[in-house]
């Protein structure tokens, strides 16, 4: 009955590919009806069939999140790409950030191709960022409220963004 009185839950996220055994009354009937259950990519069919997990009316998959160095990424194992994402531990990015063109996680290399929406939102202590040529997509408000940011460097061979001619800005 751990969450049975939490009728305001709107999402439940699990990080296991194989569901743990839970009892029917762990969540309220309202939660099963209105909350979205987020499961790792490729595991939704197992949750749709698992006792009590299958009571969730909405089950959606997400790409795994990993931390490499001081940067968080969402990795797409099918396409071997990674997206820079907001921190998942409620801290903010700070100092000089250098995004690599690729990362390695569990002995698999992923190309870093994007920065998610609001990734650096209100990161007031971030002072500089270097964006590699592999990044071809930057989400909305990615740098919103970064009052301490005074240098944006985009690698010269980036075909989508640049910081050339001393403009120190991202231009599409």
């Amino acid at each position: 009955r751990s969450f049975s009185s939490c009728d305001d839950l709107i999402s439940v996220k699990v990080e296991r590919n194989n569901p743990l055994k839970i009892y029917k009354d762990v969540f309220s009937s309202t939660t099963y009806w209105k909350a979205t259950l987020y499961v790792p990519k490729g595991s939704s069919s197992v949750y749709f069939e698992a006792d009590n997990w299958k009571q969730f009316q909405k089950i959606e998959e997400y790409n795994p999140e990993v931390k490499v160095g001081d940067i968080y990424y969402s990795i797409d194992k099918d396409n071997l790409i990674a997206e820079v994402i907001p921190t998942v531990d409620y801290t903010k990015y700070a100092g000089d950030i250098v995004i690599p063109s690729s990362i390695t996680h569990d002995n698999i290399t992923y190309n870093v191709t994007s920065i998610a929406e609001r990734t650096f939102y209100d990161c007031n202590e971030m002072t500089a960022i270097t964006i590699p040529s592999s990044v071809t997509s930057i989400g909305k408000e990615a740098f919103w409220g970064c009052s301490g940011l005074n240098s944006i460097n985009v690698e010269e061979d980036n075909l989508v963004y640049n910081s050339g001619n001393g403009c120190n800005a991202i231009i599409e």
Side-chain angles (χ1 to χ4, degrees):
R1 306 196 113 212
S2 303
F3 304 102
S4 62
S5 62
C6 300
D7 288 339
D8 292 331
L9 282 175
I10 58 170
S11 68
V12 175
K13 181 179 178 183
V14 294
E15 296 182 355
R16 297 177 53 95
N17 288 324
N18 296 311
L20 292 172
K21 179 180 168 84
I22 62 168
Y23 293 99
K24 183 178 180 177
D25 60 355
V26 167
F27 298 102
S28 71
S29 59
T30 302
T31 298
Y32 285 123
W33 178 73
K34 76 176 188 178
T36 301
L37 175 63
Y38 292 96
V39 300
K41 188 171 184 177
S43 65
S44 61
S45 61
V46 179
Y47 279 88
F48 274 121
E49 295 174 8
D51 286 339
N52 301 317
W53 291 105
K54 65 184 175 186
Q55 292 186 73
F56 279 93
Q57 299 299 302
K58 294 178 273 185
I59 299 177
E60 294 183 16
E61 295 184 345
Y62 68 90
N63 286 322
E65 298 159 349
V66 299
K67 183 178 182 183
V68 177
D70 292 328
I71 301 176
Y72 288 88
Y73 303 89
S74 172
I75 57 174
D76 180 338
K77 292 182 178 183
D78 296 331
N79 297 304
L80 299 177
I81 58 174
E83 177 177 52
V84 181
I85 60 172
T87 61
V88 296
D89 61 1
Y90 305 104
T91 62
K92 297 280 186 181
Y93 290 105
D96 294 354
I97 304 295
V98 177
I99 299 173
S101 59
S102 65
I103 60 167
T104 301
H105 176 71
D106 288 342
N107 295 319
I108 300 172
T109 300
Y110 300 89
N111 289 323
V112 179
T113 60
S114 59
I115 298 172
E117 187 173 299
R118 293 183 160 213
T119 293
F120 301 107
Y121 190 88
D122 274 341
C123 291
N124 298 324
E125 295 182 28
M126 185 172 71
T127 54
I129 187 161
T130 300
I131 300 170
S133 59
S134 60
V135 170
T136 56
S137 174
I138 298 176
K140 293 179 184 178
E141 301 178 348
F143 300 99
W144 185 268
C146 294
S147 59
L149 183 61
N150 54 39
S151 176
I152 298 172
N153 180 37
V154 181
E155 287 184 351
E156 284 184 30
D157 54 345
N158 189 306
L159 300 176
V160 179
Y161 303 103
N162 76 60
S163 59
N165 299 323
C167 70
N168 197 25
I170 296 175
I171 303 169
E172 284 189 81

